[in-house]
Amino acid sequence: MKRIFTLARLALGLAAVLVPGLARAQDLMQQLNKLSADSLRLSLVQATFKGTRVINGQSIETPGAGTLVFLISHRFGALNSGAYNFFGLDQATIRLGLEYGITDRLAVGVGRSSMEKTFDGFAKYRLLRQSTGAGAMPLSVTLLATTALTSLEFQPQSERTGVSRLTYTYQALLARKFSPSLSVQLMPTLVHRNYVDLRRDQNNVYAVGAAARQKLTKRFALTGEYYYLLPGATADNFRNSLALGFDIETGGHVFQLHVTNSPGMIEKFFIPQTTGNFFKGDIFFGFNISRAFQLGGRRP
Amino acid sequence: MQQLQLVWVVLLGWLAAAPAQSPTRFFTRTGTIRFFSATPVEDIAATNQRVAAAVDVTTGQLAFTVPMQEFQFPKKLMQTHFNENYVESEKYPKALFAGQLVGFQAAALDQGGPQPAVAEGDLTIHGVKRHVRVPGTLEKQGNRLLVNAKFAVETADYNIEIPLLVRGHIAKTVDVTVALACDPLPQP
């Protein structure tokens, strides 16, 4: 009897040690990997482009909640204007802009271009954001609506009204970051002009843009951007906008240097009003400099 | 008859023994890791609240994984730079620690209060694995296990390059604080 009890206690002790022990022997790291797989699901893809502009046009990026971006853009004169104009460097058009992120998705901005003394304002909303993980979103979609107002003085006998100063642009920006270094963007675009010079000119100009960014190092990237005008009077009389450049990032600044056949820096200029032939030397050298300031708070 | 009794004793004992065992394994999915870089120019702090960790107090095994993209910075641009330029989160999405508590007895937890412990193991950040010793504390609070540790990470040790231009802004040594509140892991 006593022996049986000893045996029972031994068995009991063994059971107590062995049964939970079996589970314990399972690799802790394996269990953890299972646990953390959940915590990795759905993370947003960041920095599809370095700045809020690819070159001339907007990228899907917004400044982010509470961030104010100051943007200085310059385009010099045409390269083929000759030595007399110092190959374009004698002239310059400029746009100064401010952009602010109200939330991580919504941003608004204002700007002033020296070209046709134009004020512009826009709202930009990140509708979809590319993500990784289970059930990931394959691409990012940002909607953009801009208004441009030219403040040029009308001719004394002009019958133009105030409304005729306005131009609107609507874009759906679709982008995918294919790898940490390659991002591609497509931009179906509508430019609506309240006023055009001639009857045959289009009030509504449709275009499709394509852009890409290829990083060469962590802080240096090549960029390209092209807007194709859909067939119509505008496509017959104007050229498609082409721009090639590179991005350099240093701390809170992004420097973008580029060559383009469009001297204008807002949609209403470079999409329907580009006249330069890039391959015949109508090349405008230019740069964008952006500086980000964090004003408002973010979630911790 | 006696044999039947024995079977009962063993069975009952087995049933009673398993739940009566105080849990030995703890885990969390929402542990916190903070880091802090202080320079005369700028202080940089970030918090990650999606740290997954598992601790076995009996065997002393300890592991955690840190999804790098989940570090939240007060400035969005800092966060982008952290992921894009420094830790390269897309290439190296997780930091890992897998180690062992050295000279730690699970029984010490019953004394209450934080019990000092040293974890020794491999810390992998930015794809670079290094052997480290991290002092910290373990504390039993109700049925939860609190793990706290503080240590310094040299960015250069993990091939995290800091360009000349921003060297004044980012400290070479970053202070890391780990705070895990682990629940008992249900025994399978």
Side-chain angles (χ1 to χ4, degrees):
Chain A
M1 184 67 194
K2 211 172 177 184
R3 218 170 63 194
I4 288 167
F5 250 97
T6 323
L7 261 173
R9 276 168 61 189
L10 194 73
L12 213 146
L14 267 176
V17 171
L18 277 180
V19 175
L22 280 175
R24 206 180 295 142
Q26 198 186 50
D27 188 25
L28 193 72
M29 201 68 194
Q30 232 172 19
Q31 213 165 32
L32 183 63
N33 275 335
K34 250 194 307 191
L35 292 172
S36 69
D38 304 338
S39 70
L40 250 189
R41 88 174 154 239
L42 275 196
S43 68
L44 293 174
V45 169
Q46 303 183 351
T48 305
F49 290 92
K50 286 206 189 290
T52 57
R53 311 291 154 138
V54 180
I55 294 178
N56 289 317
Q58 303 242 13
S59 75
I60 56 148
E61 301 291 344
T62 54
T67 303
L68 180 75
V69 173
F70 180 44
L71 199 65
I72 304 166
S73 312
H74 250 272
R75 301 292 180 270
F76 291 99
L79 188 70
N80 61 2
S81 62
Y84 179 69
N85 277 327
F86 199 40
F87 303 98
L89 297 188
D90 282 352
Q91 307 162 317
T93 61
I94 186 170
R95 178 182 180 273
L96 298 173
L98 285 172
E99 300 175 7
Y100 182 72
I102 294 168
T103 69
D104 273 351
R105 287 171 181 268
L106 180 66
V108 291
V110 290
R112 171 64 156 74
S113 297
S114 61
M115 188 177 269
E116 294 180 17
K117 300 192 183 297
T118 306
F119 292 92
D120 67 88
F122 65 84
K124 201 172 174 184
Y125 184 72
R126 298 200 63 165
L127 185 66
L128 302 175
R129 292 187 284 184
Q130 188 186 340
S131 53
T132 56
M137 181 62 60
L139 80 171
S140 296
V141 176
T142 298
L143 302 179
L144 173 75
T146 79
T147 305
L149 181 143
T150 170
S151 65
L152 274 182
E153 284 175 6
F154 293 144
Q155 300 297 319
Q157 278 87 37
S158 170
E159 290 169 5
R160 285 184 62 177
T161 57
V163 186
S164 75
R165 295 181 177 275
L166 292 166
T167 302
Y168 307 96
T169 305
Y170 305 98
Q171 281 191 312
L173 309 165
L174 300 85
R176 179 169 165 83
K177 191 176 189 179
F178 285 95
S179 73
S181 57
L182 177 68
S183 303
V184 174
Q185 183 176 285
L186 282 176
M187 308 79 98
T189 305
L190 164 64
V191 180
H192 174 82
R193 300 178 288 191
N194 276 358
Y195 175 86
V196 286
D197 287 326
L198 303 169
R199 187 173 290 272
R200 67 180 170 95
D201 288 341
Q202 292 171 285
N203 284 102
N204 287 331
V205 178
Y206 296 92
V208 179
R213 184 285 300 262
Q214 172 70 46
K215 262 165 114 176
L216 297 182
T217 71
K218 280 183 220 164
R219 294 175 182 80
F220 184 85
L222 290 178
T223 52
E225 184 185 61
Y226 184 73
Y227 276 90
Y228 173 76
L229 291 163
L230 296 187
T234 309
D236 294 342
N237 295 297
F238 292 89
R239 290 188 180 274
N240 295 328
S241 172
L242 172 69
L244 301 168
F246 50 87
D247 291 357
I248 307 162
E249 184 183 45
T250 61
H253 292 95
V254 179
F255 296 92
Q256 299 178 300
L257 294 132
H258 32 256
V259 286
T260 168
N261 61 341
S262 307
M265 287 156 278
I266 54 175
E267 293 76 14
K268 75 160 269 194
F269 293 130
F270 66 81
I271 295 171
Q273 290 183 34
T274 293
T275 52
N277 184 339
F278 193 89
F279 301 99
K280 286 195 172 147
D282 296 324
I283 295 172
F284 302 87
F285 170 67
F287 58 83
N288 302 338
I289 298 172
S290 77
R291 167 79 206 180
F293 303 92
Q294 187 76 30
L295 300 185
R298 280 186 93 221
R299 66 209 150 91
Chain B
M1 187 58 202
Q2 270 180 1
Q3 274 171 343
L4 197 70
Q5 208 180 357
L6 174 69
V7 169
W8 276 112
V9 167
V10 170
L11 254 178
L12 280 172
W14 184 72
L15 283 172
Q21 272 274 319
S22 72
T24 64
R25 275 196 172 186
F26 296 85
F27 83 106
T28 180
R29 257 187 220 113
T30 52
T32 304
I33 287 188
R34 288 193 174 85
F35 75 75
F36 188 67
S37 140
T39 63
V41 185
E42 191 169 31
D43 289 342
I44 300 169
T47 306
N48 189 329
Q49 292 179 312
R50 312 277 309 176
V51 177
V55 187
D56 190 318
V57 288
T58 315
T59 63
Q61 282 177 293
L62 185 141
F64 59 77
T65 71
V66 187
M68 295 306 275
Q69 292 216 358
E70 298 290 341
F71 276 101
Q72 301 295 327
F73 289 70
K75 295 184 182 181
K76 189 196 173 195
L77 202 64
M78 275 182 181
Q79 193 164 329
T80 308
H81 289 161
F82 173 77
N83 288 306
E84 283 272 298
N85 301 341
Y86 297 102
V87 297
E88 300 178 85
S89 305
E90 276 170 72
K91 243 191 209 157
Y92 311 106
K94 283 186 196 177
L96 304 171
F97 177 79
Q100 184 78 39
L101 296 169
V102 188
F104 178 78
Q105 295 298 320
L109 288 171
D110 299 330
Q111 294 169 21
Q115 302 299 319
V118 174
E120 202 176 309
D122 293 324
L123 178 64
T124 311
I125 305 174
H126 194 231
V128 180
K129 189 192 260 190
R130 288 182 72 92
H131 195 78
V132 293
R133 271 175 73 90
V134 177
T137 62
L138 278 81
E139 182 182 357
K140 200 81 167 283
Q141 211 171 68
N143 61 353
R144 305 186 97 190
L145 180 74
L146 308 183
V147 182
N148 283 288
K150 202 169 174 178
F151 58 99
V153 168
E154 300 267 340
T155 51
D157 286 350
Y158 297 91
N159 287 346
I160 298 169
E161 256 178 85
I162 300 172
L164 208 61
L165 208 67
V166 291
R167 241 165 243 180
H169 295 252
I170 302 172
K172 281 185 198 154
T173 306
V174 175
D175 291 322
V176 180
T177 314
V178 182
L180 312 167
C182 305
D183 294 311
L185 190 68
Q187 299 285 350

